[in-house]
Amino acid sequence: MSEPKAKARSLKEVVPGVYNWHVQDDRIGARSDAYAVVDRDGAVILIDPLPIDESLLRPLGSITAIVLTAGNHQRSAWKLRKRFNVPVWAPENAHGLEEDADNIYTNGDTLPGGLSALHTPGPAYSMFTLWMQQSPRGVVFISDLLTRPSNGPPEFVPGEYQDEPGRTRLSVQRVLDQLPVDAVCFAHGEPIARDGEKALRMALEQDTEGSSAPAP
């Protein structure tokens, strides 16, 4: 099965309309994070969902869609698709999906909840950052581009676990160049609610592996 064994028992608001839950992921021996976005019309979109007590999700509103940032983040998507009878959106060329997605998206597409898709390869080729304007903040969901151990600064995953480490650095820079960033939501690590742009720039500046990473 693609999903971890642990189930989240709590839900935390990152910024208004964006909620986070996480589990200790037995598959990778580290923390994994998932998100729910509440649209202006009350629709709820799940991003890279992990196992969770469903009673925590129901008060948010009606779940209408599930969006994956990468093929390796299918997690609980198929179980929740069946449970709530909602479509799953997956990236173009996503690998390793256990079931067929209902919709495929690519760079520049607008997704449920007003999410915008930006192709940000590196950890894997088919990996996307999702962006939304949740007034007054710009929120980015950056998949595996960076992790955030504990409450410290964001870090790059060691190059041995990435397809193209050099492209990962370029993708982080592309996020900074093209998207207004206030809040940053990681697939692995505590989200940052404010000053996200500063945190991403610091990750690039403090990166010690990037100079020796293979060229993209």
Side-chain angles (χ1 to χ4, degrees), residues 19-205:
Y19 297 84
N20 163 258
W21 71 97
H22 69 273
V23 300
Q24 185 63 25
D25 196 329
D26 59 283
R27 304 168 305 164
I28 61 174
R31 167 174 168 159
S32 289
D33 288 70
Y35 299 88
V37 170
V38 182
D39 198 3
R40 291 179 178 86
D41 62 3
V44 179
I45 296 86
L46 306 182
I47 299 175
D48 296 341
L50 291 158
I52 185 173
D53 185 337
E54 292 176 11
S55 65
L56 297 172
L57 294 177
R58 295 186 184 280
L60 299 181
S62 177
I63 296 172
T64 60
I66 296 168
V67 179
L68 306 181
T69 60
N72 63 317
H73 286 173
Q74 59 190 318
R75 300 169 167 180
S76 300
W78 315 120
K79 180 182 292 184
L80 293 173
R81 170 170 71 173
K82 183 177 180 180
R83 180 71 183 88
F84 294 105
N85 191 29
V86 297
V88 171
W89 293 68
E92 182 179 45
N93 299 318
H95 295 291
L97 296 180
E98 295 175 357
E99 298 185 20
D100 292 334
D102 300 283
N103 299 284
I104 301 297
Y105 71 86
T106 190
N107 187 62
D109 285 352
T110 299
L111 307 177
L115 293 162
S116 297
L118 180 69
H119 186 213
T120 48
Y125 175 75
S126 185
M127 181 160 286
F128 283 75
T129 290
L130 306 178
W131 176 84
M132 64 180 296
Q133 184 65 40
Q134 193 76 337
S135 182
R137 296 183 174 91
V139 183
V140 292
F141 303 85
I142 63 169
S143 197
D144 288 340
L145 291 182
L146 292 160
T147 64
R148 191 185 180 207
S150 301
N151 289 317
E155 297 178 359
F156 287 95
V157 174
E160 62 193 281
Y161 301 113
Q162 302 185 53
D163 286 354
E164 298 178 273
R167 292 193 79 176
T168 301
R169 275 77 182 168
L170 292 176
S171 287
V172 172
Q173 187 62 58
R174 188 178 181 212
V175 169
L176 288 167
D177 290 344
Q178 298 190 26
L179 302 176
V181 178
D182 297 304
V184 181
C185 297
F186 305 90
H188 303 281
E190 185 75 16
I192 294 174
R194 59 182 68 250
D195 295 328
E197 178 180 346
K198 179 180 178 181
L200 296 188
R201 293 192 185 282
M202 185 178 298
L204 286 171
E205 292 169 0

